[in-house]
Amino acid sequence: MTIEKIRADLADLQNTDQLDARAMSGAFYTSEAFLDFEREHLFHKDWVCLGHVDEVREPGDFFTTELVGEELLVTRDQDGEIRVLSNVCRHRGNLVETEAKGNRKRFVCGYHAWTYGQNGELKTAPLMKKVRTFDQKKCGLKQFRIEIWENFIFVNLDGEASPLAPRVQALSDLMTNYHHEMRHVVFTDEAVWNTNWKSLMENFLEGYHLSATHLKTLHPITPTRLCRKFEAKGEGFTGYHSFYDPEWPDRGPFHEDLTEDERRNTLLTCAFPNLLISVATHFTLYLCLRPVGADRVAIRWGVAGFNPDPENQEAKDYVALANAFNAEDRAKLETLTRAIKSKYYEPGPLAGDDYEGTVWDFLQYIASRLSSNAGI
């Protein structure tokens, strides 16, 4: 299936009543050519989440990552400012920082020892002062535009995206009483799953699979039948309330500002296109997705809680639960990735609004950016 056929299908989706909502074709998830189109027109042009501010908590802290072919260096400088820099030396293009994370006063390219400050400014370049075309002030690392939203770090590679915060203000309002901003990262990890990034987005965003896929882990806590889609709306997010079984005890510690209703549900949500967030009463789980291939997605994920000690038992228990249900999701998504390549697959109808209405919202977001009506 060609890119233009997929784009035409997305345009049809925009003209379809939600009551007639159907899943997308297999090629939407399996086409490498369409993934390249997404890289260029979505991940380069929209706000993409790279991680949490706690991952660069102290001055000099950094982590490296890759986003659709761009090598990035995320740092916090001595003034406390978080920056996203190109991790490509301005001399002959080697990686500046090769470690995954750490703390540095300076970043030194190991190829020719060009040295950069935490803010990306070039500090030293051996034996270059007499080179006529060398201008030290013009040889700093490229710095990308960022926004911090709810303690998450977002980058816009092309620098042209409209501001992020207004798109997700209604989601911030929903999260207010859970006080995610007071939660500290107690666990981080990275993984690559053999599935398409959109398949993982859709899986996380719908509660239809909870009781079937997570029968022993999540069904006893948040069964499918108790899922309720958000009434709040915004162009930059979707999500649902995953209510707790009445027999399940309260999940603490939680903030006293939570209403009785809020104490009995988790917010399962996202910030388009790549940040997934589960804001439970006691912990926040987040996943930042980066497409590696049509059937491979890189995941940077973490857990945040009110107690900053990663060794506290509540955190260990929640991380163990997260690892368990992540493994269950991974298994289902990797078999999905194999099966959806069938030339006999015909997309079926989506479940009702409370169960897969969020998938519909996500597909509408993709269509608004990439369909044949999108003006690109």
Side-chain angles (χ1 to χ4, degrees):
M1 183 179 289
T2 66
I3 293 175
E4 291 309 315
K5 178 61 170 67
I6 297 173
R7 296 185 68 199
D9 286 349
L10 288 168
D12 288 342
L13 191 75
Q14 292 175 295
N15 297 320
T16 300
D17 189 294
Q18 186 177 349
L19 294 176
D20 299 317
R22 300 183 73 83
M24 287 293 290
S25 68
F28 180 65
Y29 306 93
T30 63
S31 169
E32 290 286 351
F34 190 69
L35 177 62
D36 288 341
F37 189 74
E38 292 172 332
R39 287 188 176 111
E40 181 63 26
H41 296 286
L42 192 64
F43 283 89
H44 271 100
K45 294 183 178 181
D46 213 340
W47 291 102
V48 179
C49 187
L50 298 180
H52 191 282
V53 297
D54 259 12
E55 296 181 67
V56 284
R57 188 177 303 174
E58 303 296 333
D61 283 354
F62 74 88
F63 67 85
T64 57
T65 189
E66 177 272 344
L67 176 61
V68 291
E70 294 298 332
E71 298 290 342
L72 302 177
L73 175 59
V74 183
T75 74
R76 187 187 289 269
D77 66 22
Q78 290 301 311
D79 296 326
E81 185 173 351
I82 293 175
R83 301 174 186 270
V84 177
L85 308 170
S86 172
N87 191 23
V88 178
C89 184
R90 290 295 306 279
H91 176 221
R92 284 171 54 195
N94 212 329
L95 287 178
V96 174
E97 178 57 64
T98 57
E99 295 296 322
K101 60 183 178 179
N103 186 283
R104 301 266 195 246
K105 293 182 178 179
R106 298 282 191 273
F107 296 101
V108 183
C109 176
Y111 197 16
H112 297 98
W114 281 37
T115 301
Y116 302 89
Q118 295 165 343
N119 61 2
E121 292 180 355
L122 180 65
K123 296 298 185 182
T124 61
L127 308 176
M128 292 295 294
K129 290 184 178 179
K130 294 182 180 181
V131 175
R132 186 168 63 179
T133 57
F134 174 70
D135 185 341
Q136 184 169 333
K137 293 182 179 179
K138 294 181 179 180
C139 290
L141 298 177
K142 178 175 175 56
Q143 187 165 177
F144 295 99
R145 182 179 170 213
I146 73 165
E147 277 197 36
I148 307 297
W149 173 77
E150 296 291 346
N151 283 347
F152 293 108
I153 305 165
F154 286 79
V155 66
N156 173 221
L157 293 179
D158 79 352
E160 300 295 328
S162 62
L164 171 68
R167 305 187 205 174
V168 285
Q169 182 57 56
L171 179 54
S172 290
D173 295 342
L174 274 177
M175 293 169 59
T176 296
N177 289 345
Y178 291 84
H179 288 286
H180 165 76
E181 81 283 355
M182 298 176 63
R183 302 180 182 191
H184 306 273
V185 172
V186 293
F187 176 85
T188 59
D189 198 7
E190 294 190 69
V192 175
W193 292 8
N194 295 323
T195 192
N196 183 266
W197 72 275
K198 298 184 295 295
S199 296
L200 178 47
M201 284 288 294
E202 292 170 353
N203 175 85
F204 189 98
L205 287 174
E206 54 94 344
Y208 192 40
H209 77 289
L210 291 179
S211 290
T213 295
H214 305 294
L215 184 61
K216 294 183 179 180
T217 53
L218 292 181
H219 169 73
I221 309 171
T222 56
T224 289
R225 71 180 187 279
L226 299 181
C227 296
R228 297 293 179 269
K229 191 184 172 193
F230 291 166
E231 293 183 8
K233 295 184 181 299
E235 66 167 311
F237 73 94
T238 188
Y240 69 99
H241 302 273
S242 184
F243 282 93
Y244 306 153
D245 189 285
E247 300 301 317
W248 197 264
D250 285 347
R251 304 174 79 188
F254 46 70
H255 198 280
E256 61 185 9
D257 286 350
L258 287 179
T259 66
E260 288 299 318
D261 187 65
E262 289 169 334
R263 292 182 184 190
R264 299 301 302 170
N265 80 88
T266 292
L267 306 181
L268 275 295
T269 186
C270 68
F272 296 140
N274 81 314
L275 174 62
L276 296 167
I277 323 168
S278 171
V279 188
T281 53
H282 54 340
F283 287 100
T284 300
L285 168 72
Y286 66 91
L287 295 84
C288 307
L289 311 186
R290 307 188 318 277
V292 178
D295 57 0
R296 296 179 72 228
V297 57
I299 307 165
R300 186 181 197 91
W301 70 282
V303 170
F306 292 112
N307 185 340
D309 178 13
E311 297 302 315
N312 77 84
Q313 192 58 49
E314 290 84 2
K316 288 184 174 182
D317 291 344
Y318 187 80
V319 170
L321 175 64
N323 274 312
F325 62 67
N326 279 347
E328 292 166 341
D329 282 329
R330 180 174 185 170
K332 292 296 187 294
L333 287 170
E334 292 189 350
T335 55
L336 168 69
T337 301
R338 290 167 48 201
I340 207 169
K341 295 176 182 178
S342 169
K343 64 181 179 181
Y344 300 109
Y345 167 64
E346 295 183 11
L350 296 180
D353 198 42
D354 284 331
Y355 308 115
E356 289 187 309
T358 47
V359 174
W360 172 257
D361 290 344
F362 176 60
L363 293 176
Q364 290 292 334
Y365 161 78
I366 297 293
S368 72
R369 299 304 198 270
L370 302 181
S371 82
S372 55
N373 294 329
I376 53 175

